[in-house]
Amino acid sequence: MNEFALSAALDAIASHCTDAVMAAKLRALMRGYAVRWAQDDYQVAAVESFVRSDMYNPESKRTSRTFQLAGKMDVNVADHTGLTVLIDHKTTSDDIEDPMSSYWKQLVIEGQANHYMLLEWLNGRKVDYALWDVVRKPSISPRQITKAEQKELTISGTYFGSSFVLEEVTAALELGRETPALYEARLADDCLVQRPLRYFQRRRLPRLDAEIAEYAQELWEHGQEIIEARRKERWMRNSGACMNYGSACRFLDICSGHDTPDSDRWAQKKWMHPELVQIEGLDGRGLLTNSRIRSFQTCRRKHYYEFELGIERVEAEDKESLIFGDLWHKAQEAYWGVIQNQQLTENQQEKQDATITIEPFNQPASNDSGKVFTF
């Protein structure tokens, strides 16, 4: 286990999470994650990289005058065989242990990997496969401490394999239930010892060139549909998407006539893509990301408010699942960033230690920089 990478991830959680129970949950998962994948051997090329490219019509090979493609990739690595891999972190409440679960079936047709692979291809870099790096959010919460557990705490100061100082033990015994620290210990035991496969799974996702080409064609057609909707000023609503994932769409009040975009509850965004680094002088309306395409596919009216009109709630409350996912990505960024820096330092040291001398010889330099994108 990489202790330095784990420490950086735990520090990132402490810096960004103010909810004690959620922080305990994230720390326990991060500890389990570091052990679960400790033996995997990847050479890290980039962490949280922002990639942009022109958008091509696959049939005519002409570039779009309206849109560019963009995306932010979690981790770019090479595996132990030298294959290039895109690792994408995901969090879910669904079952991931069963390889035939609905969660994995849905990811097979998910467009995100296609979008990133296409972006890399357009920039002259072919990706061999994507890797879904999935963690399941715990369903267990802080609970009452049993009499047997209270006795164990009193005698040994331990709880599910972790030792605690007297102050923590006293606080837990007075409450009669788990403090965030004790909850973290029980969850860490569940992740590390009892049910690691329940919480941590990875799946390879190879893509044929033909599949990436098909996605490029679909993407071009989506772009044309957005242009046509702009021209006609027609953004159709999809009432079936108003309550996706068990909660109301953030724009439901506007669509239902209970609010208006120009009320004081809404503000104009300066940048349309909060997950991307802002490009100076642009507002992002000319960029197509995976998130934007999904929004357009879900509901064109939602896409209009989000990416065309570009408004957001002044006092928006994010769902717990979104907050959790964002914090997990911050922890992962810190974790993989340390691994990348360690590998760079090791590679530099190896170069300094090398003593092999190569005799110069005359040979014309090759130029392989003119890479052309073709399907």
Side-chain angles (χ1 to χ4, degrees):
M1 181 176 66
N2 193 317
E3 295 286 353
F4 294 104
L6 175 58
S7 179
L10 297 179
D11 287 345
I13 294 169
S15 299
H16 294 94
C17 185
T18 57
D19 183 282
V21 173
M22 183 178 290
K25 188 179 299 186
L26 288 160
R27 286 194 302 267
L29 284 174
M30 199 64 235
R31 288 163 59 189
Y33 179 93
V35 172
R36 175 76 169 97
W37 306 119
Q39 302 305 314
D40 281 18
D41 183 19
Y42 294 113
Q43 285 294 312
V44 182
V47 178
E48 295 293 328
S49 56
F50 171 40
V51 182
R52 186 163 53 129
S53 170
D54 287 333
M55 180 177 173
Y56 289 82
N57 182 335
E59 294 180 350
S60 68
K61 304 300 187 291
R62 294 178 181 271
T63 59
S64 172
R65 293 176 294 178
T66 307
F67 294 118
Q68 284 190 320
L69 304 182
K72 188 177 183 182
M73 304 178 192
D74 289 343
V75 190
N76 298 62
V77 302
D79 67 15
H80 68 283
T81 67
L83 296 179
T84 56
V85 186
L86 290 177
I87 299 180
D88 193 77
H89 312 306
K90 290 194 174 295
T91 59
T92 182
S93 299
D94 297 333
D95 171 33
I96 59 174
E97 192 169 358
D98 180 3
M100 296 304 293
S101 68
S102 299
Y103 181 82
W104 294 116
K105 291 177 182 178
Q106 189 275 327
L107 278 188
V108 171
I109 60 173
E110 169 65 53
Q112 186 173 12
N114 294 341
H115 193 89
Y116 293 162
M117 288 183 174
L118 176 60
L119 267 170
E120 288 290 271
W121 193 354
L122 290 169
N123 280 285
R125 301 180 293 267
K126 289 294 291 291
V127 175
D128 292 300
Y129 63 92
L131 185 74
W132 296 123
D133 181 25
V134 185
V135 60
R136 182 174 180 176
K137 290 179 286 187
S139 57
I140 60 177
S141 302
R143 62 165 172 78
Q144 298 288 328
I145 305 173
T146 67
K147 291 183 178 180
E149 291 165 348
Q150 291 181 30
K151 183 178 180 180
E152 179 80 11
L153 267 174
T154 303
I155 296 173
S156 65
T158 61
Y159 188 75
F160 282 88
S162 296
S163 299
F164 293 93
V165 297
L166 179 60
E167 291 80 2
E168 191 72 40
V169 172
T170 302
L173 292 175
E174 288 179 351
L175 286 171
R177 60 181 296 106
E178 292 172 335
T179 62
L182 267 65
Y183 166 64
E184 179 182 340
R186 180 166 61 90
L187 179 55
D189 177 74
D190 202 25
C191 295
L192 287 160
V193 181
Q194 307 301 329
R195 302 182 294 177
L197 299 182
R198 172 186 173 85
Y199 293 100
F200 311 108
Q201 292 288 341
R202 286 176 175 173
R203 292 287 185 276
R204 286 177 54 149
L205 183 71
R207 285 292 196 234
L208 300 173
D209 287 357
E211 293 176 295
I212 304 302
E214 181 182 11
Y215 175 77
Q217 183 63 51
E218 293 174 356
L219 196 60
W220 178 266
E221 291 171 1
H222 281 314
Q224 296 305 298
E225 290 172 350
I226 294 174
I227 292 171
E228 182 68 6
R230 282 179 179 176
R231 186 182 68 82
K232 292 183 177 179
E233 296 184 353
R234 291 272 298 169
W235 304 95
M236 293 178 288
R237 288 176 290 191
N238 174 17
S239 59
C242 295
M243 296 297 295
N244 273 355
Y245 310 110
S247 60
C249 169
R250 72 191 74 172
F251 302 110
L252 181 58
D253 284 351
I254 296 178
C255 286
S256 62
H258 291 82
D259 200 354
T260 60
D262 57 358
S263 75
D264 57 8
R265 287 179 286 273
W266 300 91
Q268 187 71 45
K269 294 191 290 186
K270 295 180 180 179
W271 179 245
M272 304 298 125
H273 309 277
E275 76 277 16
L276 302 181
V277 177
Q278 184 169 357
I279 303 171
E280 187 175 355
L282 299 179
D283 59 16
R285 286 182 173 85
L287 296 180
L288 291 185
T289 64
N290 178 68
S291 297
R292 182 173 185 176
I293 293 300
R294 289 195 66 176
S295 177
F296 184 75
Q297 291 172 328
T298 300
C299 176
R300 297 188 179 194
R301 186 68 62 89
K302 177 185 177 183
H303 168 270
Y304 168 72
Y305 291 132
E306 197 167 12
F307 295 101
E308 294 289 322
L309 188 59
I311 57 173
E312 61 185 351
R313 288 295 294 262
V314 173
E315 296 180 357
E317 288 189 10
D318 288 333
K319 293 191 297 183
E320 188 273 342
S321 59
L322 294 177
I323 296 172
F324 184 92
D326 181 62
L327 290 168
W328 182 253
H329 271 76
K330 285 181 169 60
Q332 289 290 317
E333 181 180 0
Y335 181 86
W336 287 93
V338 167
I339 294 175
Q340 181 185 28
N341 290 334
Q342 289 174 336
Q343 291 174 351
L344 287 172
T345 301
E346 290 170 2
N347 292 338
Q348 290 170 357
Q349 187 62 50
E350 288 175 1
K351 289 179 181 178
Q352 291 174 2
D353 294 342
T355 58
I356 300 175
T357 302
I358 301 175
E359 295 295 330
F361 61 96
N362 296 323
Q363 179 173 324
S366 64
N367 182 2
D368 190 33
S369 61
K371 296 179 180 177
V372 179
F373 169 71
T374 57
F375 288 112

